[in-house]
Amino acid sequence: MAAEGVGSLGAEQNHLSISVNDHGAWATAMNNLGIVPMGINGQQLLPDSLCIQAFDPGLGLITPINPMMAGISLVPPPPIPPDMPVIKEIIHCKSCTLFPQNPNLPPPSTRERPPGCKTVFVGGLPENSSEEIIREVFDQCGEIIAIRKSKKNFCHIRYSEEFMVDKALYLSGYRMRIGSSTDKKDSGRIHVDFAQARDDLYEWECKQRLLAREERHRRKIHEDRLRPPSPPPIMHFSEHEAAQLAERLKDDHKFSEATSVLFTWIDRGEVNRRTANHFYSMIQSANSHVRRLMSEKAQHEEEMELAKETFKNALLAILTQFEQITGVFTVATRQKAWDHFSKAQRKNIDIWRKQCEELRNAHSEEIMGIRREEEMEMSDDDSDEGPCKKMCMEENGLCDQTQVSLREENISLRWQLDAYRNEVELLRKEQSKANRLDDEHILSQTPTHPTPTNSHSPEAQIQLLQQSMHNMQQQLLNLQEQLRSKEAELEQARDEQRYLEGEVLTLRDKLLNNNLEPVEGTNGEVHEKGVNGCIPSVYHTRERRSEVIMRGAVTSEKEALLLGVISTFLHVHPFGANIEYLWSYIQRLDSKVSAVELERLMVRLPSMFRQELSGVGATLEKRWKFCGFDRLGSA
């Protein structure tokens, strides 16, 4: 058995191929194994700063390099190839000896580590092993709290800390031999694994609960630090407190706090007959601050207007400077100066000119946007005062007209119903007379009572008459509905006719413009076209155009309303307005009006509305202006 053990030991140690004379490799290997690197003569191969701190040379246990181990602060070792096996050596104890397993064999398997594990399972112990021998071997891994040994060659060892379990797992796979005996009962291959103990789990849960409590406490402190302070408690009402509150209400700096106290008192129900005068005076003093607040608001609005004005003036100054720079570039690109520049200089000047023009256009668009906003504000103010009121009056007038028409229709229906009722009464009277004559004739012939059919015949006739009257009323209602639908179709047809007339007018204007250009050429051409018979047609179209212009009057009440609103709107905007802006304003008053209809109406009235082009470059747009008063001034 001894020879077998020696043979196995020699086989396990044959894989070491490191030369003893190579001090660097030998020192690195010994330092990686946790042993102080010592030479053959006893000198230290590495400095103390690179070795394990406070290493005990008498400790024969080879511990693994694990970051969970307490007290280990090693310099990171050089990279070890993954195929290189972990080197283990013989461990000598007082009562036993531990021999490592073959490094070519796979490492011993372990189960999943339980949370807070401090207990290890040790199996494969020799039969003659005692608790003292087990403590002697495993006490080198750390402080042992308890050892529970079983009769079946295994035990459980509980340590004081968790990292000691990792040291104990390093001994898994070693063969233990008690003394120098070769008996089977004195040797065994030990297996170390994690053990699940209730004490470890309980301590781990207690620790987790402690950490959770600390986290909650830390979070609560953080929330308390971020939470705004609670408002101070409000005292109860008394005459002394009311007098102090009245003084605080007069102070501008303490006004907000005083109003909150006053609100709380009133909300609590402190107002009664005895304290009503106090509260009235405090409410009155609170109301006196309204004028101050309005003056502050007006002051801030003035500051905002001044800021807007300064900003606008600054933009205008910047735009003028851009125009000057653009003028410089324009002069530089003329022929008499452009020829003297080199090709690179021309390229740079061209690039600078384009950049300057882009910036100038951007600034001009920004200024135009500011002007549009100002015009919108002015139009909103004017619409709040003038046209809105007029349109409201007009809408009220239209509503009154519809109400009057509905009343007249209701009265006519009542008259018809009364006429039907009179007819029914007359028919009843005639029927009653006829029945009386029949009854007298029957009584004269036979003194018997009338039959039930004769007595019920007038009621049946009345029911028939009522049914016929109901049918006539239904027919009358159907005719009224048909009349309304026809009127709606007629109005739609009129709108389409107006639209088509406007399109025809625009097409005629285009044709006139196209025909007038060739005619107004030279005298020879005019003479030739006069010979061919074209000049009379041109004069005829001119006469038609003058007739159309003279005929461009208002044709309906709706157009008259639109004409008044457009004239007022454009009169308020002296710089004019484009058709989209005008249509967006009138759209709020009448959603059925289209931009094409507005433009057609203004084209028909050139004596009142004039279209002009405004802006420069990308900001070029068509604007309509009101010119009705110009004709009056010239007249």
Side-chain angles (χ1 to χ4, degrees):
M1 186 69 183
E4 184 181 355
V6 172
S8 63
L9 179 59
E12 290 173 354
Q13 292 180 349
N14 284 335
H15 69 279
L16 294 174
S17 60
I18 300 174
S19 177
V20 179
N21 297 326
D22 189 3
H23 298 291
W26 181 252
T28 302
M30 294 180 70
N31 191 31
N32 291 341
L33 293 173
I35 303 173
V36 177
M38 303 293 290
I40 299 175
N41 300 327
Q43 73 274 16
Q44 187 171 346
L45 299 178
L46 288 177
D48 294 335
S49 60
L50 301 179
C51 298
I52 300 177
Q53 300 294 326
F55 184 80
D56 186 7
L59 183 63
L61 178 63
I62 303 173
T63 57
I65 299 172
N66 194 318
M68 297 179 64
M69 292 173 139
I72 294 180
S73 58
L74 287 175
V75 175
I80 301 174
D83 299 335
M84 184 176 179
V86 180
I87 301 173
K88 294 183 179 181
E89 292 192 357
I90 302 171
I91 300 173
H92 297 281
C93 300
K94 294 180 180 180
S95 304
C96 62
T97 306
L98 300 177
F99 299 95
Q101 67 175 2
N102 190 355
N104 296 324
L105 295 176
S109 61
T110 56
R111 59 179 294 181
E112 185 180 358
R113 181 168 188 157
C117 180
K118 296 181 183 179
T119 306
V120 294
F121 167 80
V122 182
L125 294 171
E127 294 183 8
N128 294 333
S129 62
S130 62
E131 186 175 344
E132 289 77 11
I133 297 174
I134 296 171
R135 185 178 293 275
E136 180 184 354
V137 173
F138 286 93
D139 198 15
Q140 303 178 40
C141 300
E143 182 183 357
I144 297 175
I145 296 176
I147 297 176
R148 294 188 295 272
K149 188 176 181 303
S150 176
K151 297 179 180 179
K152 296 184 178 180
N153 300 332
F154 70 88
C155 69
H156 289 86
I157 303 173
R158 189 164 188 265
Y159 288 97
S160 59
E161 298 294 338
E162 294 184 18
F163 68 89
M164 299 175 183
V165 175
D166 299 320
K167 294 182 179 181
L169 288 175
Y170 185 77
L171 299 176
S172 182
Y174 272 84
R175 179 178 294 278
M176 179 188 288
R177 179 187 296 171
I178 300 173
S180 58
S181 174
T182 58
D183 192 4
K184 290 185 179 181
K185 293 183 179 181
D186 293 332
S187 65
R189 187 178 298 276
I190 61 175
H191 173 71
V192 185
D193 198 355
F194 298 108
Q196 191 169 3
R198 286 179 292 180
D199 297 339
D200 299 342
L201 183 61
Y202 176 74
E203 290 182 1
W204 181 81
E205 290 176 351
C206 291
K207 187 176 180 181
Q208 294 299 318
R209 284 194 293 269
L210 178 62
L211 294 175
R213 283 196 299 270
E214 292 178 355
E215 182 65 25
R216 285 196 300 270
H217 180 66
R218 192 181 302 108
R219 194 182 300 114
K220 184 176 180 299
I221 291 173
H222 183 66
E223 291 175 357
D224 291 341
R225 191 184 300 111
L226 296 178
R227 187 183 297 113
S230 58
I234 296 175
M235 72 294 294
H236 291 280
F237 174 78
S238 64
E239 293 183 358
H240 177 68
E241 295 293 340
Q244 291 184 352
L245 184 64
E247 294 296 330
R248 281 186 287 171
L249 282 171
K250 296 177 183 178
D251 191 1
D252 296 343
H253 302 287
K254 301 178 181 178
F255 176 71
S256 58
E257 298 177 359
T259 49
S260 62
V261 174
L262 180 60
F263 172 79
T264 306
W265 283 354
I266 296 173
D267 191 42
R268 285 178 182 174
E270 300 287 350
V271 183
N272 52 33
R273 290 185 179 180
R274 185 173 60 84
T275 60
N277 294 328
H278 292 287
F279 279 100
Y280 178 76
S281 63
M282 287 188 286
I283 293 170
Q284 188 177 6
S285 61
N287 185 45
S288 64
H289 288 269
V290 174
R291 185 178 299 174
R292 175 182 63 83
L293 295 175
M294 293 302 294
S295 64
E296 288 181 0
K297 180 185 175 184
Q299 183 179 0
H300 289 307
E301 287 178 352
E302 289 177 359
E303 292 177 357
M304 184 178 69
E305 292 296 332
L306 290 173
K308 284 184 179 179
E309 191 66 26
T310 54
F311 177 67
K312 182 179 175 183
N313 294 333
L315 285 181
L316 288 173
I318 292 170
L319 184 61
T320 54
Q321 294 179 10
F322 272 120
E323 293 289 345
Q324 293 173 358
I325 297 170
T326 307
V328 171
F329 283 124
T330 304
V331 172
T333 53
R334 289 178 183 174
Q335 189 72 25
K336 59 182 179 180
W338 189 252
D339 294 337
H340 298 286
F341 294 113
S342 63
K343 189 174 182 181
Q345 290 174 348
R346 292 176 184 178
K347 184 178 180 181
N348 291 333
I349 291 172
D350 195 11
I351 293 170
W352 295 339
R353 181 179 58 81
K354 289 180 181 179
Q355 291 177 354
C356 186
E357 288 179 354
E358 289 177 359
L359 293 172
R360 183 197 61 183
N361 294 332
H363 279 278
S364 62
E365 288 178 0
E366 189 173 359
I367 292 172
M368 289 297 294
I370 294 171
R371 289 178 178 174
R372 288 195 198 97
E373 290 178 358
E374 291 178 354
E375 292 176 359
M376 287 285 288
E377 290 176 358
M378 291 173 61
S379 64
D380 291 339
D381 295 338
D382 297 336
S383 64
D384 290 341
E385 295 177 359
C388 280
K389 292 182 179 179
K390 293 181 181 179
M391 292 304 294
C392 290
M393 294 293 291
E394 293 169 358
E395 289 177 359
N396 292 330
L398 293 174
C399 293
D400 294 337
Q401 291 178 1
T402 54
Q403 289 179 0
V404 169
S405 62
L406 289 173
R407 286 175 184 173
E408 291 177 355
E409 187 177 359
N410 192 8
I411 290 169
S412 64
L413 290 174
R414 286 182 180 176
W415 287 346
Q416 291 178 5
L417 184 61
D418 292 337
Y420 286 135
R421 286 177 179 173
N422 292 331
E423 290 179 1
V424 170
E425 289 178 358
L426 290 174
L427 289 172
R428 284 180 181 176
K429 289 179 181 180
E430 291 176 358
Q431 190 66 27
S432 61
K433 288 180 181 179
N435 290 332
R436 287 175 186 174
L437 293 174
D438 291 338
D439 293 339
E440 290 177 356
H441 181 70
I442 291 169
L443 288 171
S444 63
Q445 290 181 358
T446 57
T448 58
H449 296 286
T451 58
T453 58
N454 291 331
S455 63
H456 291 290
S457 60
E459 296 178 358
Q461 291 178 0
I462 290 169
Q463 289 179 357
L464 290 173
L465 289 172
Q466 289 179 352
Q467 187 175 2
S468 63
M469 184 178 67
H470 182 68
N471 293 331
M472 292 174 69
Q473 289 179 353
Q474 291 291 334
Q475 291 177 1
L476 181 61
L477 293 173
N478 293 330
L479 290 173
Q480 288 179 354
E481 290 179 357
Q482 291 178 3
L483 180 61
R484 290 171 188 160
S485 63
K486 294 294 183 182
E487 287 177 353
E489 292 176 359
L490 181 61
E491 186 67 22
Q492 186 176 3
R494 287 177 180 173
D495 293 335
E496 292 178 358
Q497 183 181 1
R498 292 170 190 162
Y499 176 76
L500 293 174
E501 286 177 358
E503 294 292 332
V504 170
L505 289 173
T506 54
L507 291 174
R508 282 180 181 177
D509 293 335
K510 291 180 180 179
L511 290 173
L512 285 171
N513 294 328
N514 293 330
N515 290 329
L516 284 173
E517 290 176 0
V519 169
E520 296 174 357
T522 60
N523 295 328
E525 292 175 357
V526 171
H527 181 69
E528 290 175 0
K529 290 187 177 179
V531 172
N532 295 330
C534 296
I535 296 298
S537 65
V538 171
Y539 288 124
H540 185 62
T541 53
R542 285 184 179 179
E543 291 175 359
R544 281 187 178 180
R545 186 177 181 186
S546 62
E547 289 177 0
V548 168
I549 293 173
M550 294 297 293
R551 197 162 42 86
V554 179
T555 58
S556 64
E557 184 179 359
K558 181 179 179 182
E559 289 185 354
L561 293 173
L562 289 175
L563 184 61
V565 174
I566 294 169
S567 302
T568 307
F569 183 83
L570 293 178
H571 181 63
V572 171
H573 294 75
F575 298 104
N578 55 12
I579 191 66
E580 288 82 7
Y581 181 28
L582 179 62
W583 176 70
S584 65
Y585 172 75
I586 297 178
Q587 189 75 11
R588 295 186 297 175
L589 305 177
D590 188 1
S591 59
K592 296 180 181 179
V593 179
S594 62
V596 178
E597 187 175 356
L598 294 177
E599 190 172 8
R600 195 185 309 129
L601 179 60
M602 289 190 289
V603 168
R604 282 169 48 194
L605 299 170
S607 61
M608 295 182 65
F609 305 107
R610 182 174 66 252
Q611 191 176 20
E612 294 181 355
L613 295 175
S614 64
V616 178
T619 60
L620 188 66
E621 61 178 357
K622 295 181 180 179
R623 292 197 172 197
W624 287 92
K625 291 185 178 181
F626 179 71
C627 60
F629 295 150
D630 298 342
R631 297 295 179 90
L632 294 176
S634 63

